[in-house]
């Protein structure tokens, strides 16, 4: 699966600028007059700065909290209060710090009988939210999908060589074996569902991401490079993570 459009790469000074730029883009994406907006969150270290900003002024007052629904692109199959939980991280960073209708938060049910059962439940929830029928590019499921980049090139819980990379029918799948730490089972949305967005925004910061980011942007066959978007596809990176040649100018 290839990106339908050329990705835009935006390089900012540092982690702080990364979080601020992401917050501005998120606000712009949810500020439409429709009754509901939907944001798909991600785990990992990349989005934490952004999440904290969302609960602080000026974002706190600017966000239409009653209209925005928060989903999770992937989660680790651990109890909701486990330190490894992506949703726990998002809750602690911002969702628990604002006045928000609990019905607007859509966690993956990691207390289900199995990762497979949790994936099925999440798919059913997303389908309900979207309404009847299959996904149409003209009516994306999400307004914004946030993505991270792992050291091995994975994104969401879509790891190199995993069968989940080629899943086109299901909206969410169980990942029995993670390709990278933490080695716990996961549940992940699939590429076609993540693609159903007005904007997919990768957040990549820090020197330790530079090598893998260089490979992805050069077109190496890595999961993050396979991600596509029905809308815009943006890589927001800080200078430490930016490929060598972008430092030359
Ligand atoms: C997860 C994440 C994952 C993450 C990358 C990058 O559950 O692990 O959703 O896809 O975005 O692993 O994470 P770091 O920024 O912590 O390296």
């Amino acid at each position: 699966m290839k990106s339908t459009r050329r990705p835009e790469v935006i390089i900012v000074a540092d982690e702080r600028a990364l979080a601020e730029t992401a917050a501005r883009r998120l606000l712009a994406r949810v500020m439409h007059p429709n009754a509901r907006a939907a944001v798909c969150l991600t785990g990992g270290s990349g989005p934490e700065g952004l999440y904290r900003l969302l609960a602080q002024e000026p974002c706190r007052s600017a966000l239409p909290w009653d209209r925005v629904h928060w989903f999770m692109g992937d989660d680790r199959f651990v109890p909701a209060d486990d330190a490894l939980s992506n949703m726990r991280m998002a809750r602690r960073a911002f969702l628990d710090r604002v006045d928000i209708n609990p019905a607007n938060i859509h966690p993956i049910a990691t207390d289900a009988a199995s990762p497979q059962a949790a994936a099925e439940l999440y798919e059913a929830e997303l389908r309900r939210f979207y309404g009847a029928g299959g996904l149409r590019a003209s009516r994306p499921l999400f307004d914004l999908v946030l993505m991270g980049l792992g050291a091995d090139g994975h994104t969401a819980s879509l790891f190199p060589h995993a069968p989940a990379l080629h899943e086109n029918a299901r909206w969410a799948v169980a990942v029995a074996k993670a390709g990278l730490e933490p080695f716990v089972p996961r549940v992940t949305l699939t590429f076609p569902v993540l693609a159903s967005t007005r904007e997919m925004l990768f957040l990549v910061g820090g020197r330790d991401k530079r090598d893998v980011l260089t490979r992805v942007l050069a077109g190496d066959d890595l999961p993050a490079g396979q991600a596509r978007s029905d809308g815009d596809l943006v890589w927001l990176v800080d200078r430490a993570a930016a490929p060598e040649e972008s430092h030359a100018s």
Side-chain angles (χ1 to χ4, degrees), residues 167-178:
E167 180 60 56
N168 278 322
R170 284 147 73 201
W171 290 29
V173 293
V175 176
K177 267 194 178 161

Side-chain angles (χ1 to χ4, degrees), residues 42-46 74 76 86 147-150 154-157 186 209:
T42 183
S45 56
D74 74 310
R76 292 87 180 262
N86 286 341
M147 300 280 260
L149 173 65
H154 81 266
T155 189
S157 282
R186 320 279 188 104
K209 293 288 164 75

Side-chain angles (χ1 to χ4, degrees), residues 96-108:
D96 284 352
R97 296 174 186 270
V98 292
D99 187 17
I100 190 171
N101 180 348
N104 286 24
I105 305 175
H106 302 263
I108 293 171

Side-chain angles (χ1 to χ4, degrees), residues 41-48 72-76 84-86 89 146-159 178 180-182 186-188 202-205 208-209:
L41 302 170
T42 183
S45 56
E48 272 196 75
M72 189 55 81
D74 74 310
D75 215 335
R76 292 87 180 262
L84 293 177
S85 161
N86 286 341
M89 186 272 279
L146 298 172
M147 300 280 260
L149 173 65
D152 59 350
H154 81 266
T155 189
S157 282
L158 296 159
F159 293 94
L180 207 66
E181 282 185 333
R186 320 279 188 104
V187 174
T188 187
F202 277 87
L203 301 177
V204 188
D208 57 335
K209 293 288 164 75

Side-chain angles (χ1 to χ4, degrees), residues 74-229:
D74 74 310
D75 215 335
R76 292 87 180 262
F77 196 71
V78 295
D81 60 354
D82 191 294
L84 293 177
S85 161
N86 286 341
M87 189 48 102
R88 174 183 182 263
M89 186 272 279
R91 284 189 192 278
R92 289 164 68 108
F94 79 108
L95 294 170
D96 284 352
R97 296 174 186 270
V98 292
D99 187 17
I100 190 171
N101 180 348
N104 286 24
I105 305 175
H106 302 263
I108 293 171
T110 56
D111 57 350
S114 63
Q116 174 67 35
E120 284 166 15
L121 285 168
Y122 210 49
E123 173 163 337
E125 182 162 353
L126 285 163
R127 283 183 185 274
R128 257 194 316 275
F129 184 83
Y130 187 70
L135 293 170
R136 279 183 287 122
S138 55
R139 187 169 74 84
L141 170 61
F142 299 114
D143 292 287
L144 180 71
V145 169
L146 298 172
M147 300 280 260
L149 173 65
D152 59 350
H154 81 266
T155 189
S157 282
L158 296 159
F159 293 94
H161 314 299
L165 296 176
H166 310 289
E167 180 60 56
N168 278 322
R170 284 147 73 201
W171 290 29
V173 293
V175 176
K177 267 194 178 161
L180 207 66
E181 282 185 333
F183 294 108
V184 290
R186 320 279 188 104
V187 174
T188 187
L189 298 193
T190 55
F191 276 137
V193 174
L194 293 164
S196 184
T197 182
R198 296 181 198 285
E199 174 173 331
M200 176 177 281
L201 181 63
F202 277 87
L203 301 177
V204 188
R207 175 65 184 88
D208 57 335
K209 293 288 164 75
R210 187 188 290 174
D211 293 348
V212 66
L213 180 62
T214 303
R215 292 180 58 202
V216 170
L217 295 179
D220 274 18
D221 187 19
L222 293 169
Q226 292 174 35
R228 61 181 185 85
S229 167

